[in-house]
Amino acid sequence: GDDLLVLVNKEYQLPSTYAPSDLVSICSNVSNIRCVNNTNFLARSILIGDLQALADAAINDGIDLSIRSAYRSYNVQGSTYNHWLSVNGGNVSATDRISARPGHSEHQLGTTLDFSTNEISDGLGGTFASTRASKWLADNAWMYGFVISYPAGYEHITGYSYESWHYRYIGRENAQEMVNSGMILLQYLRSKN
């Protein structure tokens, strides 16, 4: 799980006991980005410098960004999945398109962030795609090592609906190589594993 290019998806999972050893508070270590509800979101220390650079660049371009979610343990992901299963009236197929089962979530890696913005009152969901913040991230996040995990039009490959807010940190060099390759994240990770 500590490998920035580890493949975690519907097929490959992390052990229930896996947790990154270098988790730090995003809110305590990164300025120019808000943590929704002052939540103490955690992420791996390896991404903090690049997240700060991304946050600074966004502010300089007049873009507001907030964090809605970051590291989630195996057990928290289980609760998250069960919440969405309940919202979907027990429909497993519908839930599997919008939420990862425990062990299969990139959030357990500590390198995945869900972004939002004050443009939509720091909400989460489809409305994020139409914001200036979403457009800015789509154009710029890769330069700081963050890439979208579930892009539009690739549901048949990822198994997940489009998530304009869900970005995974793979490092600047890897993100540059991925963008140059024309592959989406899942394809790129498969090519590396």
Side-chain angles (χ1 to χ4, degrees):
D2 290 347
D3 181 347
L4 286 179
L5 299 181
V6 68
L7 181 56
V8 177
N9 64 358
K10 291 179 182 289
E11 186 178 357
Y12 297 102
Q13 73 182 85
L14 295 163
S16 60
T17 55
Y18 174 75
S21 60
D22 61 340
L23 291 172
V24 298
S25 167
I26 294 171
C27 308
S28 300
N29 291 286
V30 179
S31 58
N32 290 332
I33 200 163
R34 286 175 295 98
C35 291
V36 174
N37 298 325
N38 294 314
T39 304
N40 186 33
F41 293 118
L42 302 176
R44 289 191 55 204
S45 61
I46 193 170
L47 66 75
I48 294 296
D50 284 335
L51 181 59
Q52 182 65 68
L54 179 150
D56 292 344
I59 286 289
N60 287 340
D61 288 343
I63 300 298
D64 172 81
L65 289 175
S66 60
I67 302 288
R68 280 291 313 237
S69 184
Y71 168 72
R72 282 188 215 134
S73 69
Y74 182 95
N75 290 337
V76 168
Q77 186 61 38
S79 298
T80 300
Y81 181 84
N82 287 334
H83 164 78
W84 289 111
L85 187 61
S86 174
V87 167
N88 283 297
N91 185 327
V92 172
S93 178
T95 303
D96 283 344
R97 285 193 297 274
I98 61 167
S99 183
R101 294 181 182 206
H104 295 271
S105 173
E106 290 185 330
H107 283 283
Q108 192 178 343
L109 294 169
T111 53
T112 301
L113 305 174
D114 290 342
F115 288 98
S116 190
T117 177
N118 62 13
E119 297 173 63
I120 56 168
S121 303
D122 297 319
L124 187 64
T127 56
F128 183 70
S130 62
T131 65
R132 291 175 58 238
S134 177
K135 172 84 170 92
W136 189 91
L137 285 168
D139 291 345
N140 298 285
W142 66 270
M143 289 185 272
Y144 304 95
F146 293 86
V147 294
I148 192 166
S149 294
Y150 311 120
Y154 290 92
E155 292 86 351
H156 63 290
I157 294 174
T158 66
Y160 291 104
S161 299
Y162 171 43
E163 292 191 1
S164 57
W165 58 87
H166 181 110
Y167 280 78
R168 177 169 164 186
Y169 181 78
I170 59 171
R172 290 186 189 218
E173 288 181 20
N174 293 325
Q176 175 76 67
E177 183 179 58
M178 187 196 103
V179 168
N180 290 346
S181 75
M183 290 186 266
I184 66 165
L185 179 60
L186 179 57
Q187 295 166 326
Y188 178 71
L189 295 176
R190 281 184 176 151
S191 77
K192 293 293 188 179
N193 285 277

